[in-house]
């Protein structure tokens, strides 16, 4: 599975054959077909395993909703992105195979999990519209920055993580001017470190 | 094509047949097959037409790099998203069709076009790493907010656009603490309205 993820992350899935996967995994073509009906099923299984790996990361230590806890969660996210660079890129970019059908559902699942783990730390149970948009925006910022980082690697990782924590404060500060709930969350986040 | 976009945006492309498209367009199945070899080609063509529509929007009036120009560009983006809600959602969420390397390329193309039209307005020729990450983040914020808005419609559109302009200033302000180039861009943006 790791071999499949590496392959799918590094090259367009359309160009990869079951033979390539078997060779990379040191297995026979017959064995690969024993477990997977075809390339598409293998691809989706590889992505699902990358997504499960991300969700299994242990929760960060530190105060529930503090900036330190947020920094810890970000570090875990980047640990995963770095350890599974190919799988992570394949998951979020769809590896050239787009965000289609099952892949789209896996990506939405990971995003929903991140959103839930973010809101569990917040002093609100059900975020209103503007807070929901703002938290979703921050997740989009993190995904976009992680993909950019894996592609270019021209920013120091810790510097990028610090920038992203600052971006959370910045996006909440902008939202707080429009939305009392965002203001409440921001106040809580700043005083809980 | 408009009929196809509506269908593909509203339902999972896997569940849509050429007959459905023909019926929605008031055309015969034979006519649809005259132009497209199959459903997948039709789907990609529909997405490409949505993408081209977004890129063809006239540039906004106003100072080249000002906040007003940014607000104008955002309004155009949301005009397009609203007029072509189904196609816009299909384009960015990838709908649900089979395996779509081509869809991924269309989405990356739209994103690259937005990035280029954003940097053309800036007082820098080639953005450095942190500014590139920050502008990419803002595009991710806009996409995420537009998709959320089309799905929930529980925020007033102008309010959301104002929030997004504020988010541009906020993300640049956060980046400016780490990067002199972002600081320069921010200064320019604020003084050019």
């Amino acid at each position: 599975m790791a071999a499949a993820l590496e392959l799918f992350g590094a090259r367009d899935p359309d160009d990869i054959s079951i033979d390539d996967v078997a060779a990379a995994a040191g297995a026979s073509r017959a064995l690969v077909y024993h477990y997977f009906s075809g390339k598409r099923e293998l691809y989706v299984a590889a992505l699902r395993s990358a997504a499960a790996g991300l969700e299994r990361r242990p929760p960060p230590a530190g105060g529930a909703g503090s900036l330190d806890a947020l920094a810890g969660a970000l570090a875990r996210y980047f640990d995963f992105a770095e350890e599974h660079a190919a799988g992570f890129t394949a998951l979020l970019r769809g590896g050239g195979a787009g965000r289609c059908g099952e892949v789209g559902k896996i990506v939405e699942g990971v995003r929903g999990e991140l959103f839930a783990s973010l809101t569990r730390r917040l002093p609100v149970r059900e975020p209103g519209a503007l807070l929901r948009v703002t938290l979703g925006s921050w997740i989009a910022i993190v995904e976009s920055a992680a993909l950019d980082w894996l592609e270019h690697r021209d920013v120091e990782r810790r510097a990028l993580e610090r920038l992203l924590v600052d971006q959370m404060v910045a996006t909440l500060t902008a939202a707080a001017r429009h939305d009392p709930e965002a203001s409440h969350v921001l106040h809580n986040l700043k005083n809980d470190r």
Side-chain angles (χ1 to χ4, degrees), chain A residues 5-193:
Chain A
L5 265 182
E6 277 306 316
L7 274 178
F8 286 128
R11 281 160 50 195
D12 190 325
D14 289 346
D15 298 336
I16 295 172
S17 71
I18 289 275
D19 285 330
D20 292 334
V21 174
S28 72
R29 185 184 162 85
L31 185 69
V32 174
Y33 270 115
H34 179 72
Y35 289 106
F36 303 101
S37 68
K39 198 171 74 173
R40 176 158 167 74
E41 195 189 311
L42 180 63
Y43 177 64
V44 168
L47 288 182
R48 197 164 282 146
S49 115
L54 184 54
E55 286 164 18
R56 266 200 314 271
R57 296 265 136 174
S66 68
L67 286 176
D68 289 342
L70 191 69
L74 261 181
R76 285 191 316 139
Y77 191 84
F78 273 84
D79 278 346
F80 177 83
E82 187 161 23
E83 286 163 30
H84 304 278
F88 182 88
T89 306
L91 188 65
L92 285 183
R93 275 219 216 283
R99 301 247 164 104
C100 319
E102 287 162 275
V103 176
K105 276 176 207 140
I106 296 172
V107 171
E108 288 300 317
V110 169
R111 205 165 281 154
E113 186 58 42
L114 274 175
F115 189 86
S117 90
L118 204 56
T119 53
R120 269 198 298 275
R121 302 158 184 286
L122 297 181
V124 289
R125 226 168 290 177
E126 189 76 27
L130 277 188
L131 183 58
R132 183 193 69 230
V133 170
T134 306
L135 297 177
S137 291
W138 188 72
I139 290 175
I141 290 178
V142 171
E143 286 180 357
S144 151
L147 284 172
D148 181 286
W149 179 69
L150 287 176
E151 188 183 339
H152 295 98
R153 299 263 185 165
D154 55 359
V155 189
E156 209 259 309
R157 192 187 129 175
R158 298 293 163 200
L160 188 58
E161 288 177 23
R162 279 194 297 274
L163 172 65
L164 289 170
V165 170
D166 285 355
Q167 293 296 14
M168 172 61 121
V169 176
T171 50
L172 274 175
T173 303
R177 285 211 298 278
H178 304 262
D179 179 33
E181 201 182 35
S183 169
H184 176 52
V185 168
L186 178 67
H187 187 78
N188 219 275
L189 193 68
K190 279 183 160 171
N191 290 312
D192 193 26
R193 75 180 309 165

